[in-house]
Structure formats: structure tokens, C-alpha cells
Amino acid sequence: MKRLLFLVVIGLIAYGSRSLWLDSAKEALPSLPDTSEINLSLDSLTSYIDSLFSDVQNRSIQIGEQPPNRELPELTEPEDQLFSILNTELGDTRSDVEDELGEPNRSSENEYGLDWVTYHEDYHDFVMVAYDQEDRVRGLYTNQNLISSTNEIAYGSDQHFVREQLGEPETSMRKGRFQYEMNQDEEYDLFQIDNSYVTIFYDEHQDTTVTAIQVIDYDLEQGKNDLYTEPSEELKEGFEYQLFDLTNASRVNHDLSVLTWDEDVRETARDHSVDMADNGYFGHTNLEGQSPFDRMQQDDIRFTTAGENLAYGQFSSIYAHEGLMNSLGHRENILQGAFLHLGVGVAFNDQSQPFYTEKFFSNS
């Protein structure tokens, strides 16, 4: 209580003299330690103190919050594969999928040269499906409780149980003449099963339990000769929209509102990703000393609360998003209840490695 009263007194003094310290505080902000997430509320005294004292945090989320009470779809055991997602398996036809899932919400290019086609109802029952030229399912993903298996692995299973059922995960993957080491942080496990690559992602903030799954046809994966795909405008836009959709699918898991896409702040995010990719650095403060908030103000983005997440080098938006969710600061931005809008900007360096910038904000 004494500490709280002390903070209130300090806050009132700071607020009363704000005209004296606001400009100098703004100049000091870029000199704070560089991380890949940052959050600021211009109209909140508490958030201002947060920006000065990084150990004082004001977050409107509860990590581990459960999804809302909502009737889950009926899931059936897979018929031909070890895993299915909302009763969909590799090899199914598009007509069969859409009989089950309905009309798609978005199609955007992915790293395999196909499209991720998303299906959801206001981001509930969220599934991404990749079809080949014959409209057969070649890839699947979900980060919601839609996983069925023949060995009881499901959303929320712990990593030890998964490995008991599937054995030790792959530690490398061959691409052409090169052998690439895979996940060293154990945020996900890669298995080669049923002529497919199955990646199971874990939530390290919920006891390392299954939080998402990606299933990719073996030949489709091996058809990609490198870890990174040759950049294109279509792939850049695809990664941007996919990261936006993945963020909203995670938010509804935690009973939070869906963010709206903002085209203007997407351009601000893109500019920062391009700057990092072209100039070979990774950080919130650019080479001119501008903070994320300086750049938003420069682009005439009106905001009262804003946050920025950065990611670099992940194979796709799926890997980027799952990594961000396992980093507490990034996770807090993704699950920040005060945010209303999001824009995502992606750029590639000369080695085809993607740089991701997420810019969250509210303007009311």
C-alpha cells in the first residue's frame, strides 16, 4: 500500500509538471534498451511511468485466460492420416472441405507457392488450408481446439505426451544439398509422418502444451529447395495478412476483441521492415534515432496507445507468430485488450529472410 501511495504521489507530481518533462522524456525514449516489443499510452499516466520504469507494467490481459464458453464443432477421428483439423485431412478435395468449413474468408500466397485459404467465423474455428492445382489439400494449420488424432494428441496435450506417442522429433531437414538444423529452443517439434511433415507448436506460458499444428505434404515441402522462398510482392502481402489473421485467431482464444486492419499503419510498418532489411539491423529505434511512436507521428497516425512487435528470420508468418506468442512481451502486445487496430509490414533482405513489423494502436 505504501508503495502504491508513493507511486500515486510521484505520478501526480509528474503530471502537474508534464510541460517541463514531456519533451525531454520523448527524447530519452529511444535510448531505452532495445527489445523486439514496445508499448506506450500517451494519454495514460500509468503507461507513461511504464515507459520510464520498465519493471512497472500495466497490461489488460490474463495469460492463460481460457476461450469463451462456446460450443465446439463435433470432431471426428481421422480416416486416412494420423491428424485431421476440423475433420479435414491431407488429400481431401476442396469441395469436401468447403462442405465442412463453408466459404473461405481470405486467400493469400504462402512460402510454398500456393495460397493459404482461411476459414473461420469471426476468427472462431480458424483453419488455414493450402490446395494444389487439382484442388487437393496439401497443407493444414490451426491454432485452436480443432485437432483430432488417432493417438489422443489434441490441443492442450503436453509436450511429453506428444513425444511419448510420436517419438523424438526431427532435429534437421535436408533441402537440396544442404542439411538445416531445426528448432533448438523446443518451441515446436517437427515429425515426419504419413508422407508429411507435422509441426506441433507449444505454448511455453501454458505448461508447454500444444497450441497449434501445421501439416504439410512431404513432396510440397521438399519442392521448396531452401528454407526461404524467393521474395515477391504477392508473398510479402501474403505474410502480412497471414500474421494479421493469426493474431486475431489467438485473441479470440483469450476472449479478446478482434483487431481491425489499418492500411495507413501497414505502410509505416512496411517502411520500418524495409529499413531494417536494407540496412542490416534489427530494433525498434531506427538509424536516425526515431522510435516507433516518432515514425507513427511522422506518418500522421493518430494514436493514444500503441505497441510494436518485431520478428526476423522465421520461415513464415506461422513460425513468426508462434515465436512471438512464446515471448512474454510480444504476447502481451498481441493479447492487449486496449488495442483496436493492427497493421503488418514485411520486407526481405538479400538472403530472402523476412523482417516482420506489427504495429498495434488505439485512437480512442
Side-chain angles (χ1 to χ4, degrees):
M1 181 60 73
K2 289 181 180 179
R3 185 181 179 188
L4 176 61
L5 290 174
F6 174 75
L7 287 174
V8 169
V9 170
I10 292 298
L12 290 173
I13 293 171
Y15 183 77
S17 59
R18 63 190 182 281
S19 61
L20 299 177
W21 49 250
L22 185 57
D23 291 338
S24 60
K26 183 179 175 182
E27 291 173 2
L29 183 59
S31 67
L32 293 174
D34 216 4
T35 64
S36 52
E37 63 84 22
I38 193 164
N39 182 296
L40 178 69
S41 170
L42 295 182
D43 285 353
S44 166
L45 178 59
T46 304
S47 293
Y48 177 74
I49 294 172
D50 192 353
S51 74
L52 295 180
F53 304 101
S54 59
D55 60 331
V56 180
Q57 297 185 357
N58 176 33
R59 308 296 186 185
S60 60
I61 62 167
Q62 293 181 345
I63 300 303
E65 186 177 347
Q66 294 303 305
N69 292 327
R70 187 173 181 276
E71 185 176 349
L72 291 172
E74 183 178 350
L75 302 179
T76 60
E77 189 172 283
E79 295 181 359
D80 301 317
Q81 310 247 319
L82 180 59
F83 290 100
S84 64
I85 296 175
L86 194 48
N87 306 326
T88 300
E89 302 176 50
L90 295 187
D92 287 354
T93 66
R94 182 166 185 154
S95 60
D96 287 341
V97 172
E98 295 189 348
D99 284 344
E100 179 79 35
L101 305 185
E103 291 298 310
N105 299 82
R106 192 197 308 277
S107 294
S108 57
E109 186 167 312
N110 64 26
E111 67 274 21
Y112 297 103
L114 304 178
D115 282 355
W116 277 126
V117 182
T118 60
Y119 301 86
H120 59 84
E121 183 181 343
D122 295 327
Y123 290 99
H124 296 280
D125 303 337
F126 178 81
V127 180
M128 295 167 64
V129 184
Y131 300 101
D132 63 15
Q133 290 73 19
E134 285 75 43
D135 275 341
R136 292 278 180 177
V137 176
R138 301 287 297 282
L140 288 164
Y141 168 88
T142 189
N143 60 356
Q144 295 184 350
N145 189 5
L146 306 172
I147 303 167
S148 298
S149 68
T150 58
N151 59 7
E152 299 184 354
I153 294 174
Y155 185 92
S157 297
D158 67 52
Q159 187 179 57
H160 296 296
F161 178 73
V162 171
R163 292 180 176 183
E164 284 175 2
Q165 298 299 310
L166 301 181
E168 287 300 307
E170 303 286 334
T171 58
S172 63
M173 179 185 291
R174 177 166 290 281
K175 290 285 186 180
R177 294 175 299 143
F178 300 99
Q179 191 87 3
Y180 295 94
E181 288 188 356
M182 302 305 289
N183 177 39
Q184 301 298 307
D185 298 325
E186 299 194 340
E187 293 182 353
Y188 64 84
D189 283 337
L190 175 68
F191 301 96
Q192 190 174 330
I193 305 168
D194 290 339
N195 202 35
S196 66
Y197 286 101
V198 177
T199 307
I200 297 179
F201 298 92
Y202 302 101
D203 190 332
E204 295 184 342
H205 299 289
Q206 293 183 329
D207 301 322
T208 317
T209 54
V210 175
T211 191
I213 185 171
Q214 176 182 268
V215 185
I216 298 293
D217 177 85
Y218 177 88
D219 291 334
L220 182 63
E221 181 63 60
Q222 287 302 315
K224 187 161 72 80
N225 293 324
D226 202 343
L227 287 181
Y228 299 105
T229 302
E230 188 71 23
S232 67
E233 285 298 312
E234 293 76 16
L235 182 62
K236 175 176 70 175
E237 186 172 275
F239 278 0
E240 291 169 347
Y241 283 125
Q242 288 152 26
L243 194 50
F244 173 78
D245 288 338
L246 291 161
T247 298
N248 274 330
S250 288
R251 284 176 68 88
V252 302
N253 283 345
H254 294 264
D255 199 16
L256 293 168
S257 63
V258 170
L259 302 173
T260 60
W261 178 263
D262 189 275
E263 189 66 26
D264 292 333
V265 86
R266 188 255 286 268
E267 293 304 317
T268 305
R270 271 188 176 179
D271 288 345
H272 189 56
S273 289
V274 169
D275 191 36
M276 291 189 294
D278 288 351
N279 292 292
Y281 75 96
F282 182 68
H284 295 290
T285 302
N286 67 17
L287 300 181
E288 297 177 357
Q290 291 178 313
S291 74
F293 318 109
D294 294 330
R295 296 193 297 274
M296 291 176 71
Q297 290 171 336
Q298 180 177 277
D299 290 346
D300 296 322
I301 307 296
R302 295 182 59 191
F303 63 95
T304 56
T305 304
E308 179 176 271
N309 282 352
L310 304 179
Y312 154 66
Q314 289 83 359
F315 316 136
S316 69
S317 288
I318 287 175
Y319 284 88
H321 174 72
E322 297 299 335
L324 291 169
M325 283 294 289
N326 272 321
S327 172
L328 188 58
H330 302 95
R331 183 189 185 99
E332 289 177 340
N333 273 342
I334 292 168
L335 302 181
Q336 171 60 265
F339 291 144
L340 300 176
H341 310 286
L342 172 62
V344 181
V346 171
F348 301 87
N349 65 13
D350 57 7
Q351 297 177 328
S352 302
Q353 297 169 322
F355 286 72
Y356 306 85
T357 301
E358 294 181 305
K359 297 194 77 70
F360 306 82
F361 75 101
S362 298
N363 50 15
S364 60

